Amino acid sequence: MQEWMLTVAEAADLLGVTERAVQKNVLAGKYGQVRYSETVSRGGAGGKSLRIPLVSLPQEAQTAYTTKHHLQTEPEHLTANAYDAAPAWQREIANQRYEILKHYEAHMQQPGKKTELTDTFVDAWNAAHPDNTLSRSTLYNYQKEYRSKGLAGLLTGYGKREGQRQIDDAALAFFHGQFLQDSRPSVSDAYFVLKLAAKENGWKIPSLATMQRIAKQDIPEGVKKLRREGEKAFYDNVQTFTRRDPDSIQAGQVYVGDHYRFDFFVWTGSSWVRPWLTAWLDMRSHKLVGWYISLSPNTDTIIAAFAEAALDPAIGLPRDILVDNGRDYCSHRFAGRGARGKKLTEDDKKALKAEGKIVETLMDRLKIKAHFAIVENARAKVIEREFRNIVEWFSKRMPTYCGRNPDERPEALKAKLKSDKYHDLTLDKLQSLFPDWARHVFNKRVSQKGAGRQGECPDETFARTRLPVRTADVSVMQLFFMKQSNPFKVGRNGITFQGREYYWAEKIEHKGKFVYIRCRPENPETIWLYDKDDQPLGWATTIESLTGINAEPEKIANEAKRKNAEKKAITSHKSYQDAKNAKPLSLEQTIELQKLYGNNAPDLERTKVVEMVTTGSNAKEASRTMQATGTDGPMSVFEMMQGVQIENRKGD
């Protein structure tokens, strides 16, 4: 390696100090072995000019000089063997720290005080990386270690003693087994058990602070999510997701449906409840096309919200729908079984229809293909992200907003719910307010510029990219959208439906058979009857009121392979395998270890020094009586109470 020597003026310029300060530092020995070279113009030491080695200057000054003169672009492995011998995960951490140093040193080239520039860098870094924060002392330590040891100095320094970890492999595996459990024990609790086991097995272990750093930095986030929080948390928060190309579909092609529980309360007349929104969203434009607000979402609210879009002549029917696997969406009345239960072939469906056990679904009648999201996959439906926008733009504007979790609950909410001031916020008011907001605020709000939206509002994108409106006969659709029951068996007295008994003149012809019922919620006096082939049989009236998106299979397979490989990498990690193969200590085992190796303080014994309590004359008389009768020895309190006459107090 070539040794670069600088003049006093060059060193002062790099350090941002005066030449006099550099000369003082030279005399103090801060720049190591300086040299003097011959000069004909100026200098000292008998006509010689002072030269300072570049490597003796701070790392940021070295970087600035080498960058300016194009001398070096890659980091030098000052202790290459230590770096190369380190595990891959440690080298990755060292590389990440080196990248931080490069950004920091580039930032330090700006004019200004070093501490102020450092604080500015730390604040900006922490704001952009909340899961990997820094401090000024951490940066200074990185610089110090890198100057002295190169990349090896940026390896994780905890858990080392002369190049070896202070924690034995068996102890680390034991810690993984205690910490990586679905009960989510804290590091300190796992460390408490580790200390006891270490005493029993003679393991070397570091301090609690070191184990906390190991748990935070050594164990991959994916392992912690999968082992401590489960498959769903790992899938939703760690595993990569499949991006959808918005330009591959058009408006009106795919509707996405789901339920969302509002984060505020409405007054029912007797109590406060959180209402539900059942909504349909156009996947291409993110336009809300249909909605229904209720206190209990179900298949009926799904159909009612869908009818809002289908019966609108400007929106119409979609070609496909994307829903989850909830029972209300997987109802045979609406979209079919989805991922629930046994998969049905077309022959199975025909056989069940012939037996009168199922009918053609609403989506089948309307020639709409239903797609079901992966079970418990919250991020598969784009509507989930729009629900977060509804929280920010609508729910937080309501006076009874309660927050998405207890930590976000407003302090004044409890007092608001106790007062009568907001009792006018009823379900009826919400049902009239939300549609107005959805049409004029949500669907008119301009998006950020990005793929598919181009800075438009949902209405604009829908109008620009929509397919021809798809519709059907309005009267037929209204019939389809009526509430439909499961099969009902015709009995002797007609049909009892939802607490009402209905009379049907032709029932005698169909006694013992199964029929299907449709009705309008606003007109419960009349129901319409259909056979297993969905042919109309007539109507019945009450007798007496009683109380009552297509992807190619190959691409889907490739995505599955990629995700399986990613999960396999996580499950093959040492910490995951340790936790998988380990058996957490039971409470009884922990108690036994505590007895053997814990801090067993001695039990209390009777002291020789006592403080006597002065008793009155009644107590002395009782003592003399007990001595005279021979009852002053050890005696049960309950034995003493036997035979004692209990007298009432005066005035009782």
Side-chain angles (χ1 to χ4, degrees), residues 80-352:
N81 290 337
Y83 174 83
D84 294 335
W89 62 271
Q90 282 192 331
R91 294 199 303 272
E92 182 179 353
I93 293 176
N95 293 338
Q96 292 172 353
R97 292 176 176 178
Y98 175 70
E99 289 297 323
I100 295 173
L101 269 183
K102 287 204 300 184
H103 289 299
Y104 171 61
E105 290 164 359
H107 178 80
M108 295 301 293
Q109 300 308 309
Q110 305 177 61
K113 294 183 179 179
K114 180 179 179 181
T115 54
E116 294 178 354
L117 290 174
T118 301
D119 289 340
T120 302
F121 178 83
V122 168
D123 292 341
W125 176 270
N126 292 344
H129 305 82
D131 297 330
N132 186 23
T133 57
L134 297 170
S135 65
R136 188 197 301 175
S137 59
T138 300
L139 276 175
Y140 291 164
N141 185 60
Y142 287 173
Q143 284 185 314
K144 178 182 176 182
E145 294 297 327
Y146 181 69
R147 290 172 192 166
S148 60
K149 303 176 184 177
L151 283 177
L154 299 180
L155 297 170
T156 52
Y158 52 82
K160 291 182 179 179
R161 178 182 295 170
E162 296 180 356
Q164 300 296 324
R165 300 183 67 91
Q166 280 188 342
I167 180 169
D168 291 337
D169 290 340
L172 181 61
F174 181 88
F175 174 78
H176 288 156
Q178 306 306 308
F179 177 66
L180 296 173
Q181 298 299 327
D182 55 9
S183 58
R184 304 183 194 180
S186 64
V187 176
S188 59
D189 185 59
Y191 183 74
F192 171 76
V193 181
L194 173 64
K195 284 200 303 182
L196 300 176
K199 290 183 179 180
E200 180 184 36
N201 295 281
W203 294 332
K204 290 186 298 183
I205 60 173
S207 65
L208 172 60
T210 298
M211 294 307 300
Q212 288 173 331
R213 289 195 294 270
I214 290 176
K216 180 180 180 181
Q217 300 180 19
D218 279 18
I219 303 177
E221 190 65 24
V223 171
K224 287 185 280 190
K225 281 288 182 183
L226 189 57
R227 286 294 311 178
R228 289 169 63 88
E229 300 182 35
E231 294 270 356
K232 187 174 186 301
F234 170 78
Y235 189 84
D236 288 344
N237 299 285
V238 178
Q239 197 167 36
T240 55
F241 58 89
T242 303
R243 291 194 178 275
R244 300 179 185 271
D245 179 11
D247 293 323
S248 64
I249 58 174
Q250 293 179 276
Q253 180 177 346
V254 183
Y255 291 172
V256 186
D258 204 353
H259 303 301
Y260 155 66
R261 195 172 192 181
F262 284 111
D263 297 304
F264 58 83
F265 291 93
V266 297
W267 179 250
T268 64
S270 59
S271 62
W272 291 100
V273 297
R274 288 173 57 193
W276 285 84
L277 169 69
T278 302
W280 288 95
L281 185 86
D282 177 66
M283 179 180 280
R284 177 64 176 86
S285 63
H286 288 209
K287 170 183 171 65
L288 277 175
V289 294
W291 51 81
Y292 191 88
I293 297 172
S294 64
L295 298 181
S296 179
N298 51 47
T299 303
D300 297 324
T301 65
I302 294 170
I303 295 175
F306 188 83
E308 286 283 326
L311 296 174
D312 188 333
I315 299 175
L317 297 168
R319 280 70 176 169
D320 303 81
I321 62 168
L322 175 61
V323 295
D324 62 19
N325 288 274
R327 294 185 182 277
D328 42 8
Y329 286 98
C330 291
S331 165
H332 280 298
R333 290 176 50 204
F334 182 68
R337 299 173 68 91
R340 307 188 73 90
K342 180 182 176 182
K343 296 291 184 181
L344 296 179
T345 64
E346 291 301 321
D347 292 338
D348 292 335
K349 292 180 181 179
K350 290 179 181 179
L352 291 173

Side-chain angles (χ1 to χ4, degrees), residues 426-571:
T426 62
L427 184 65
D428 291 340
K429 182 176 180 180
L430 178 61
Q431 287 173 336
S432 64
L433 176 64
F434 183 83
D436 203 34
W437 176 85
R439 292 187 179 97
H440 299 288
V441 178
F442 186 93
N443 286 342
K444 304 292 185 186
R445 186 157 179 161
V446 176
S447 71
Q448 296 180 353
K449 290 187 177 181
R453 295 290 297 277
Q454 301 181 8
E456 301 168 330
C457 69
D459 278 346
E460 291 171 328
T461 304
F462 190 90
R464 177 175 62 86
T465 63
R466 70 177 172 180
L467 295 168
V469 175
R470 186 170 182 263
T471 186
D473 184 84
V474 174
S475 61
V476 173
M477 286 195 295
Q478 288 177 336
L479 179 64
F480 286 167
F481 295 146
M482 284 197 301
K483 185 175 181 180
Q484 178 177 323
S485 72
N486 291 322
F488 272 75
K489 189 174 183 179
V490 180
R492 289 180 59 186
N493 295 324
I495 297 174
T496 301
F497 176 63
Q498 292 188 343
R500 296 171 181 263
E501 192 173 33
Y502 290 85
Y503 173 73
W504 175 31
E506 294 79 13
K507 73 175 181 63
I508 191 65
E509 301 177 13
H510 302 277
K511 181 177 178 298
K513 295 182 180 180
F514 287 94
V515 296
Y516 295 88
I517 298 173
R518 286 196 180 95
C519 66
R520 299 181 189 276
E522 65 275 12
N523 181 23
E525 302 298 323
T526 303
I527 60 175
W528 283 260
L529 307 174
Y530 295 80
D531 65 11
K532 62 183 181 181
D533 296 320
D534 207 30
Q535 297 299 316
L537 300 175
W539 64 88
T541 56
T542 55
I543 302 173
E544 180 183 357
S545 297
L546 302 175
T547 58
I549 349 204
N550 301 325
E552 296 178 10
E554 184 179 354
K555 292 183 178 180
I556 295 177
N558 291 335
E559 283 293 309
K561 289 180 181 178
R562 177 170 64 85
K563 293 179 181 180
N564 289 338
E566 189 178 50
K567 183 177 178 181
K568 185 177 180 180
I570 287 294
T571 56

